[in-house]
Amino acid sequence: MLIQPEDVMKIAHLARLGVQDEQVAAYAADLSNIMLLVEQMNAVNTTGIEPMAHPLDQMQRLRADEVREENRRADFQKVAPNVDSGLYLVPRVVD
Amino acid sequence: MYNKSLKELSTSLHQKEISSVELSTYFLDRIKRLDPDLNSIVTLTEEAALSAAIKADEKISQGIAGVLTGIPLLHKDIFCTQNIKTSCASKMLDNFVAPYSATVVNRLADAGSVMLGKTNMDEFAMGSSNETSFYGGVKNPWDTKLVPGGSSGGSASAVAARLAPMATGTDTGGSIRQPAAFCGVTGIKPTYGRVSRYGMIAFASSLDQAGVMAKSAEDAAIMLQAMAGFDEKDSTSIDKPVGNYAESLNDSIKGLTVGLPKEFFSDELDDSIRQKIDEAVDVIKSAGAKIKEISLPNINLSVPAYYVVAPAECSANLSRFDGVRFGHRCESPVDLDDLYKRSRGEGFGDEVKRRIMMGAYVLSAGYYDAYYKKAQQVRRLIQQDFIEAFKEVDVIASATAPTVAFAAGEKKGDPVSMYLSDIFTIGVNLAGLPGMSVPCGFVDNKPVGLQLIGNYFAESRLLNVAHQYQQLTDWHQAVPAGFGEE
């Protein structure tokens, strides 16, 4: 298998993704199968080929640095799990 | 009523044969009666629909109405709708009421259309069968044991069952075209950048594109016209004028060259489907088009490259779901890490987790060049193959999917076999080209879709070819048994 259970634990941690212990082996098997599919890419030589990030090779558009949006903090915080006085609350980070 | 074209419905509205309130109520009643068997709709917005319909009727009375004024539609639940739940069919967003609307939603509302509700989909648009939805799978109206395809399966199923005259969809690797094929409706994914992605919940930003599910190419042309065009709010939107799609529908296709990529007519294609595609190509030929075999030498690498690019972008996009600002939060987190991990672990389904992990893996230190850079290079090769092909042909034709709709549960446990159901559609997304699926017959009473691929911004041409084909065939007018009563 290309991806071992310990790789799954590592990736899940990097992605801050909770994965149940009993599912790790199944994820390792699935991801290994997907990687076998992915590795078919190696059949073609891509030396010197410019990587393609955007279908139309557009560059990021820029605009003048000016305020355009109105402040809708209250609307946006209505959908937050836990807010107080306009602040998002999370478990204590610094003791 | 349910099988009338947008033009016919619009004429009836403008001539006051029917009001938008009556038309909207008619389709809402169909949804309530028929959708319990399909599960194609996750949120019904009856009240908002009726008040939009009243406004539409006023506009019609005042003589300031357009072709879409008063016409009901459904939105895929990936588009943000202000003050209305927008779930992406995920537990993560089961409690999310969008604070703003997507540009697509606003443009269609400005055109006077009436939203009846939001359609079911694969969770975060990741899937090809609609089975990954938090709200349960959608059923195919042609046979409820079959999947409708995905990820825009709810939109395809609803339009096929005539629960609404039209619906929005999105297509990252085939998510409009494959369900359109499986459900026997007409779907178009425009050129990347043609339709705004603002307010469309992102899965893979360099591939995602919004489009249309409709009953015919003519209807699709009318709906796409209202959606397409530059949007300052989407940094990937293309600032280029939009053609008049309806105007060129009736152009002759005499002398047009249609390319058939030999790689798409290989062993992967089911024989019975191949026969239907051959018949469809003969119809197009009878209208005066020339047929030419072409080659897309690297197209077989599109699924492998896609399953690097799409998960990589997915893992970056879905990092915003952190249990802090919106979406699901776990109970009593002990620290920040626990908050992130349990909120995401509980909020996302299996397929979404697989893709996030796949993306995190290919982007992690030491693997970037081997996978992500390599995939982007392969992507360039695939694009170049298409560019070469379009020097010789005007349109490319193939089957939309290698099989007809499969049974629910058949591929659910095998991600790779599920991924391969998109082998004919994924290359189009990697290249950023426009593509369509048009109904072209049945195999064992299951719909078959003809895929048409165009050059960049050639939506007019695609819709023209599809419309001309639909003038000579009536597959697009077939309605599944059990959904044919008023």
Side-chain angles (χ1 to χ4, degrees), chain A residues 9-40:
Chain A
M9 306 288 282
K10 187 182 158 207
I11 307 162
H13 171 70
L14 288 174
R16 299 296 185 273
L17 194 60
V19 173
Q20 316 239 293
D21 288 344
E22 61 269 24
Q23 289 183 311
V24 170
Y27 281 128
D30 284 343
L31 294 179
S32 295
N33 284 335
I34 300 167
M35 288 309 295
L36 279 177
L37 174 77
V38 162
E39 297 211 331
Q40 290 174 15

Side-chain angles (χ1 to χ4, degrees), chain A residues 11 13 15-16 18 27 30 35 39 44 46 49-52 55 57 60-61 68 72 79 81 89, chain B residues 97 99 232 234-235 237 301 324-325 329 337 341 344 350 354 357-358 371 374 376-377 380 383 430:
Chain A
I11 307 162
H13 171 70
R16 299 296 185 273
Y27 281 128
D30 284 343
M35 288 309 295
E39 297 211 331
V44 63
T46 51
I49 303 291
E50 179 71 17
M52 172 175 163
D57 287 325
Q60 189 71 39
R61 245 190 351 264
R68 291 192 188 179
R72 294 184 57 206
V79 291
L89 300 191
Chain B
V97 176
E232 203 180 52
D234 169 9
S235 66
S237 174
L301 300 176
V324 176
R325 293 158 300 158
R329 170 181 279 201
D337 230 32
K341 284 183 177 171
R344 290 162 63 77
D350 258 354
R354 267 193 288 273
M357 288 194 279
M358 192 60 203
Y371 297 118
K374 177 84 184 179
Q376 285 190 309
Q377 289 171 316
R380 171 86 56 197
Q383 180 196 36
L430 289 171

Side-chain angles (χ1 to χ4, degrees), chain B residues 203-413:
Chain B
F203 153 24
S205 304
S206 78
L207 304 164
D208 297 341
Q209 182 60 204
V212 167
M213 295 280 192
K215 295 195 300 288
S216 67
E218 182 191 77
D219 285 5
I222 293 169
M223 186 175 169
L224 184 60
Q225 195 78 51
M227 294 162 64
F230 177 63
D231 179 15
E232 203 180 52
K233 290 176 171 170
D234 169 9
S235 66
T236 57
S237 174
I238 304 292
D239 193 358
K240 192 176 157 76
V242 180
N244 184 330
Y245 299 139
E247 211 165 59
S248 47
L249 286 175
N250 290 312
D251 289 358
S252 166
I253 59 169
K254 210 168 175 211
L256 201 81
T257 308
V258 177
L260 305 180
K262 61 178 186 193
E263 292 82 3
F264 282 171
F265 290 84
S266 62
D267 293 345
E268 279 124 355
L269 181 62
D270 197 274
D271 274 343
S272 56
I273 293 187
R274 186 192 180 116
Q275 199 190 326
K276 293 292 155 198
I277 301 304
D278 288 345
E279 287 170 19
V281 169
D282 283 344
V283 171
I284 292 171
K285 199 172 163 185
S286 76
K290 288 179 284 187
I291 309 299
K292 185 179 172 120
E293 188 185 272
I294 56 165
S295 175
L296 300 167
N298 297 291
I299 198 74
N300 294 334
L301 300 176
S302 55
V303 178
Y306 178 89
Y307 278 96
V308 174
V309 174
E313 295 182 9
C314 143
S315 77
N317 271 322
L318 271 61
S319 66
R320 64 170 59 88
F321 300 101
D322 55 5
V324 176
R325 293 158 300 158
F326 41 75
H328 175 75
R329 170 181 279 201
C330 65
E331 289 290 331
S332 324
V334 297
D335 57 27
L336 199 54
D337 230 32
D338 183 44
L339 168 66
Y340 292 147
K341 284 183 177 171
R342 276 202 293 130
S343 298
R344 290 162 63 77
E346 293 166 6
F348 293 134
D350 258 354
E351 180 60 19
V352 174
K353 284 184 195 161
R354 267 193 288 273
R355 296 203 194 187
I356 289 174
M357 288 194 279
M358 192 60 203
Y361 181 72
V362 298
L363 291 175
S364 62
Y367 294 110
Y368 183 88
D369 280 5
Y371 297 118
Y372 193 67
K373 187 177 162 202
K374 177 84 184 179
Q376 285 190 309
Q377 289 171 316
V378 172
R379 190 175 178 184
R380 171 86 56 197
L381 293 176
I382 291 166
Q383 180 196 36
Q384 283 170 352
D385 288 350
F386 276 112
I387 289 171
E388 285 304 310
F390 281 117
K391 286 178 184 164
E392 297 175 45
V393 301
D394 300 294
V395 169
I396 293 172
S398 74
T400 305
T403 65
V404 288
F406 44 87
E410 191 181 316
K411 299 188 179 189
K412 211 181 167 195

Side-chain angles (χ1 to χ4, degrees), chain B residues 35 43 49-50 58 87 100 107 143 191 232 245 276 313 346 350 386 398 409:
Chain B
D35 196 53
T43 301
L50 293 176
E58 282 165 9
S87 72
Y100 67 99
R107 286 193 179 177
D143 177 348
T191 306
E232 203 180 52
Y245 299 139
K276 293 292 155 198
E313 295 182 9
E346 293 166 6
D350 258 354
F386 276 112
S398 74

